[in-house]
């Protein structure tokens, strides 16, 4: 469970300060797919970074299973509980699809053979063609690369999946497939899946949709 | 280190570049060290093989023959108490070898005046040396090694060649007569056609019997260890001889025997000094370039690290996002670079050792390897040590 308590985040540079999030409070539950919408610069991606422990709130707290992300080892958090999927550049360019999917297991020191066996199973679950298991990312389409990234999330066993525009560079058919997989991930694996998107069709399939306007959550559906 | 080898195998060109850079740095250091060693060997060879002579001369250093060198000075070179008083500090023999000396005494042969010359070797008389204008025809069983012995023989001018032996009469404090067997004849022109050449020992015996002492007309030697020339001069030479002074100004000696040094000791080491100086200069050049190369290893490491981490920015960020700590990300980058650097260094050491067969400069190579790794580490820290948002900017 993710709890945001009065979270604010301010970007500072030499000349000015910009408030990306202002006093956001919200609770994300397990087993649900959330869509976060909003115009560019509204603070959607910042929110994901804060939950992933890649940024620390300027004010307020982000609690993951009751632990404040500012006080715990954020790397361990991402290794054990959180997976992040971006629009692109999700995969190691020199590792095959199978090796990319197995990566979270190998960093947890799972024996190589076992990790690769589990990775293959996860790749099958996201319906990647078996002949592509040994392919490098540059040989995969955008949709196939996103499937590998989701398979990596499955292999890691993360209960929180943060996806930043995962369908942004995909055609409609591939985009629908990815959303369907994410939906299954939330409902079947009981994961908390938060998707930042501009695509209303993604929002339609979400269990809850939040809209961020000027750094605050304006609407909940 | 997940998939370290796999990833290295899949970017062979970048790995090759790292190996080549490391091998180039190591090879340059090893090569420059080999140059330094080669200069050392050349310097040793010059010291060991280049003959450096010293000779007693007049004070100006313009004349080394026809001197009237007293027995005490002769004794410094021969350490033979027959020649004169011995000196407690006389340790010339520890520093010199191949003493070459000439002594002469006036004698009568069948009432005709001759000069009896005693030589330690053929070269002690300039006119008998190669190109000196006189050629000796030896009688059977003799050659120029005759001069280094103590036989009572002599080499006579062509005019006396028909004689089997000559009887010489030397008038000194006492009159001494000696019979010398003719063992050779010399030919050639010159103003010493009435000279008879004998061994140093034979003439010394006659002279000692006639005058109860000897004088030498020339005295020189070769240094047995060229590295100890300065020590020789400081400990021995300067105690008995002045240094050569082109002005010829008498230099105070301060012993009771003479107020001033009567002779100078010329040391002909100009060639040695200039050759060694030039080799030393080359050696220093090699050393300086070796040190520069070691320092450049740091820069190479940094530049290579910057290049490599720049090219891997996305990969490093992704590792961090997936939960590797920054220190593990750096450790992984370093493990790869360390492996490649060690390969490069090993390759260079192996090849150069096989080619030139000298032991590598381990310390310098270790410093260079460490410098290269430190340079790379600095680059890696710069790339990965950024704040999280900056590190992951390329992926987010």
């Amino acid at each position: 469970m993710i709890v945001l308590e009065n979270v604010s985040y301010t970007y500072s540079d030499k000349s000015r300060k910009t408030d990306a999030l202002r006093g956001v409070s919200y609770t994300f539950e397990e087993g649900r797919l959330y869509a976060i919408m909003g115009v560019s610069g509204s603070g959607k991606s910042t929110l994901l970074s804060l939950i992933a422990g890649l940024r620390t709130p300027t004010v307020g707290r982000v609690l993951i299973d009751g632990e404040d992300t500012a006080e715990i080892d954020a790397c361990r958090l991402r290794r054990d509980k959180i997976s992040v999927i971006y629009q692109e550049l999700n995969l190691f360019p020199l590792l095959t699809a199978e090796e990319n999917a197995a990566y979270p297991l190998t960093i947890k020191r799972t024996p190589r053979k076992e990790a690769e066996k589990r990775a293959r199973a996860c790749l099958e679950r996201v319906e990647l063609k078996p002949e592509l298991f040994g392919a490098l990312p540059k040989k995969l389409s955008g949709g196939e690369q996103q499937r590998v990234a989701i398979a990596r999330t499955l292999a890691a066993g993360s209960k929180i999946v943060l996806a930043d525009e995962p369908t942004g560079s995909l055609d409609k058919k591939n985009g629908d497939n990815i959303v369907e997989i994410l939906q299954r991930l939330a409902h079947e694996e009981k994961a908390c899946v938060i998707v930042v998107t501009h695509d209303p069709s993604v929002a339609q399939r979400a269990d809850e949709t939040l809209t961020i306007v000027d750094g605050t959550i304006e609407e909940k559906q | 280190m997940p998939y370290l080898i796999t990833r290295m195998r899949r970017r062979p060109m970048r790995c090759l570049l790292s190996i080549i850079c490391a091998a180039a740095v190591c090879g340059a250091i090893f090569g420059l060290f080999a140059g330094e060693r080669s200069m050392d060997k050349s310097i040793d060879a010059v010291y060991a093989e280049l003959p450096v002579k010293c000779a007693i001369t007049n004070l100006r250093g313009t004349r080394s023959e026809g001197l009237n060198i007293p027995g005490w000075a002769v004794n410094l070179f021969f350490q033979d108490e027959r020649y004169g008083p011995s000196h407690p500090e006389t340790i010339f023999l520890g520093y010199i070898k191949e003493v070459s000396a000439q002594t002469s005494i006036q004698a009568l042969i069948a009432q005709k005046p001759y000069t009896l010359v005693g030589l330690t070797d053929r070269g002690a008389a300039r006119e008998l040396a190669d190109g000196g204008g006189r050629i000796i025809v030896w009688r059977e069983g003799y050659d120029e090694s005759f001069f280094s012995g103590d036989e009572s023989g002599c080499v006579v001018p062509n005019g006396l060649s028909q004689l089997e032996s000559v009887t010489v009469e030397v008038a000194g404090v006492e009159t001494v007569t000696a019979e010398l067997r003719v063992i050779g004849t010399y030919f050639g022109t010159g103003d010493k056609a009435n000279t008879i050449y004998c061994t140093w020992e034979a003439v010394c015996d006659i002279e000692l019997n006639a005058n109860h002492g000897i004088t030498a007309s020339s005295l020189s030697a070769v240094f047995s260890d060229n590295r100890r020339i300065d020590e020789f001069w400081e400990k021995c030479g300067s105690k008995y001889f002045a240094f050569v002074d082109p002005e010829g100004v008498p230099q105070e000696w301060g012993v009771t025997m003479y107020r001033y040094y009567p002779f100078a000791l010329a040391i002909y080491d100009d060639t040695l000094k200039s050759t060694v100086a030039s080799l030393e200069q080359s050696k220093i050049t090699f050393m300086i370039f070796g040190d520069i190369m070691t320092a450049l290893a740091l820069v190479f490491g940094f530049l290579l690290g910057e290049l490599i981490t720049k090219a891997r920015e996305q990969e490093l960020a992704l590792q961090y996002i997936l939960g590797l700590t920054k220190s593990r990300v750096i450790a992984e980058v370093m493990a790869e670079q360390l492996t490649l650097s060690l390969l490069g260094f090993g390759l260079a050491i192996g090849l150069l050792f096989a080619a030139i067969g000298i032991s590598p400069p381990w310390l310098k190579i270790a410093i260079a390897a460490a410098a290269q790794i430190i340079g790379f580490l600095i680059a890696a820290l710069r790339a990965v040590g950024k704040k999280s948002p900056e590190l992951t900017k390329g992926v987010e």
Side-chain angles (χ1 to χ4, degrees):
Chain A
M1 189 163 66
I2 305 162
V3 178
L4 306 179
E5 286 183 357
N6 191 32
V7 172
S8 295
Y9 188 82
T10 305
Y11 288 99
S12 303
D13 62 21
K14 284 172 192 166
S15 55
R16 61 181 186 148
K17 291 186 173 183
T18 311
D19 293 328
L21 289 175
R22 289 185 292 187
V24 174
S25 293
Y26 197 76
T27 300
F28 296 93
E29 303 285 347
E30 286 172 3
R32 294 178 75 80
L33 175 66
Y34 294 89
I36 299 179
M37 299 189 75
V39 295
S40 293
S42 59
K44 309 182 297 292
S45 297
T46 306
L47 183 65
L48 284 199
S49 290
L50 288 167
I51 296 170
L54 294 169
R55 295 173 197 273
T56 310
T58 317
V59 176
R61 298 196 301 169
V62 177
L63 302 171
I64 309 277
D65 293 338
E67 290 182 301
D68 187 344
T69 54
E71 287 170 9
I72 59 170
D73 176 0
C75 288
R76 185 176 58 79
L77 186 70
R78 289 194 295 278
R79 201 160 55 233
D80 296 340
K81 293 185 177 175
I82 298 176
S83 285
V84 189
I85 300 166
Y86 293 103
Q87 185 175 342
E88 47 194 17
L89 305 175
N90 272 312
L91 305 178
F92 292 107
L94 294 173
L95 297 185
T96 61
E98 187 180 306
E99 288 161 349
N100 262 292
Y103 193 86
L105 297 169
T106 59
I107 64 175
K108 288 179 190 168
R109 307 193 196 286
T110 308
R112 174 77 66 95
K113 290 226 178 261
E114 190 189 327
E116 286 174 356
K117 190 178 160 194
R118 277 169 61 182
R120 278 196 296 275
C122 294
L123 288 170
E124 281 164 9
R125 281 176 65 191
V126 296
E127 293 163 7
L128 188 78
K129 292 174 194 162
E131 61 267 29
L132 295 177
F133 287 8
L136 291 175
K138 64 181 174 189
K139 301 276 183 195
L140 303 176
S141 69
E144 287 162 344
Q145 286 190 29
Q146 289 299 41
R147 282 166 198 264
V148 176
I150 295 169
R152 183 173 65 199
T153 299
L154 286 170
S158 305
K159 289 293 173 193
I160 298 169
V161 178
L162 308 174
D164 194 351
E165 302 272 10
T167 59
S169 57
L170 306 180
D171 57 35
K172 186 167 183 335
K173 189 183 166 200
N174 270 311
D176 286 348
N177 283 338
I178 293 301
V179 175
E180 193 187 319
I181 294 168
L182 291 172
Q183 211 171 18
R184 284 208 317 258
L185 196 62
H187 298 156
E188 292 170 16
E189 305 290 329
K190 298 294 172 205
C192 172
V193 180
I194 302 171
V195 181
V196 163
T197 183
H198 283 108
D199 185 352
S201 68
V202 176
Q204 276 172 9
R205 299 174 72 167
D207 299 315
E208 280 187 56
T209 301
L210 315 178
T211 305
I212 297 183
V213 180
D214 291 337
T216 56
I217 295 176
E218 287 277 303
E219 296 172 40
K220 297 171 199 169
Q221 290 170 359
Chain B
M1 304 293 164
Y3 300 110
L4 179 68
I5 303 295
T6 307
R7 277 180 288 146
M8 281 166 67
R9 225 180 41 229
R10 287 181 190 155
R11 50 173 156 238
M13 290 316 289
R14 203 180 296 165
C15 291
L16 196 63
L17 175 72
S18 291
I19 291 173
I20 288 170
C21 280
V25 168
C26 179
I29 289 170
F30 197 171
L32 289 164
F33 176 74
E36 195 186 316
R37 278 284 158 276
S38 142
M39 290 302 111
D40 271 340
K41 277 188 181 171
S42 300
I43 290 169
D44 285 345
V46 167
Y47 271 118
E49 289 163 22
L50 193 73
V52 175
K53 263 179 74 173
C54 63
I56 295 178
T57 67
N58 61 350
L59 288 178
R60 286 175 193 269
T62 51
R63 196 155 54 86
S64 60
E65 290 179 341
L67 302 172
N68 198 21
I69 303 167
W72 63 264
V74 176
N75 195 24
L76 287 170
F77 283 71
F78 284 93
Q79 203 131 27
D80 187 335
E81 287 182 4
R82 291 178 302 154
Y83 302 148
S86 66
H87 309 275
E89 299 94 347
T90 304
I91 46 174
F92 273 36
L93 286 185
Y95 294 98
I96 56 171
K97 62 181 182 181
E98 297 172 26
V99 176
S100 181
Q102 184 186 117
T103 182
S104 60
I105 190 168
Q106 295 305 311
L108 293 173
I109 298 173
Q111 303 303 316
K112 283 190 178 172
Y114 282 88
T115 302
L116 215 52
V117 173
L119 304 172
T120 54
D121 56 288
R122 193 181 66 142
R126 189 190 297 246
E127 65 276 12
L128 291 185
D130 290 334
R134 288 190 175 167
I135 298 163
I136 299 172
V137 176
W138 298 98
R139 294 201 178 169
E140 198 177 338
Y142 290 95
D143 59 23
E144 63 185 60
S145 65
F146 155 76
F147 288 116
S148 57
D150 56 2
E151 195 173 329
S152 295
C154 63
V155 176
V156 297
N158 191 27
L160 301 178
S161 62
Q162 73 284 5
L163 299 176
E164 285 299 315
S165 66
V166 291
T167 303
V168 297
E169 187 183 311
V170 175
V173 180
E174 292 175 31
T175 300
V176 174
T177 304
E179 185 166 334
L180 302 169
R181 194 144 69 95
V182 175
I183 53 106
T185 308
Y186 68 83
F187 300 88
T189 54
D191 59 355
K192 288 187 180 173
N194 58 346
T195 302
I196 291 177
Y197 299 102
C198 306
T199 62
W200 165 268
E201 282 294 329
V203 176
C204 280
D205 277 349
I206 294 169
E207 205 177 345
L208 285 166
N209 288 334
N211 296 326
H212 305 300
I214 65 158
T215 55
S217 46
S218 71
L219 198 47
S220 66
V222 173
F223 284 102
S224 50
D225 183 354
N226 289 337
R227 288 186 185 274
R228 296 174 68 206
I229 293 175
D230 289 344
E231 178 191 317
F232 160 78
W233 177 252
E234 197 180 315
K235 287 190 176 171
C236 312
S238 62
K239 284 190 167 52
Y240 302 97
F241 300 100
F243 55 84
V244 172
D245 175 10
E247 301 297 317
V249 178
Q251 295 158 41
E252 291 243 11
W253 192 2
V255 297
T256 50
M257 198 162 19
Y258 301 99
R259 187 173 169 194
Y260 300 103
Y261 285 106
F263 300 102
L265 189 71
I267 297 174
Y268 304 104
D269 60 353
D270 292 351
T271 308
L272 175 82
K273 279 184 173 166
S274 61
T275 310
V276 169
S278 142
L279 292 169
E280 289 277 7
Q281 190 55 50
S282 304
K283 182 186 163 183
I284 288 169
T285 307
F286 279 121
M287 282 171 74
I288 289 171
F289 275 103
D291 290 345
I292 290 174
M293 206 60 222
T294 309
L296 279 181
L298 184 77
V299 181
F300 277 141
F302 177 71
L303 292 178
L304 191 65
E306 282 279 299
L307 269 175
I308 289 174
T309 51
K310 197 92 190 152
R312 289 175 61 174
E313 258 176 1
Q314 180 213 334
E315 206 179 313
L316 302 180
L318 202 53
Q319 284 178 311
Y320 180 66
I321 288 167
L322 290 176
L324 274 192
T325 57
K326 285 181 185 176
S327 53
R328 264 191 81 183
V329 175
I330 290 175
E332 227 181 89
V333 176
M334 292 307 294
E336 180 176 332
Q337 195 53 31
L338 194 65
T339 308
L340 298 173
S341 291
L342 289 178
L343 269 174
F345 273 66
L347 187 73
I349 289 172
L351 286 176
L352 281 169
F353 182 73
I356 53 184
I358 65 166
S359 180
W362 292 114
L363 182 64
K364 271 192 179 182
I365 286 178
I367 291 171
Q372 199 171 24
I373 297 299
I374 289 169
F376 197 86
L377 181 63
I378 294 169
L381 284 171
R382 267 166 53 88
V384 182
K386 297 170 185 167
K387 286 183 177 170
S388 303
E390 262 187 87
L391 174 62
T392 56
K393 198 163 64 184
V395 178
E396 278 185 87

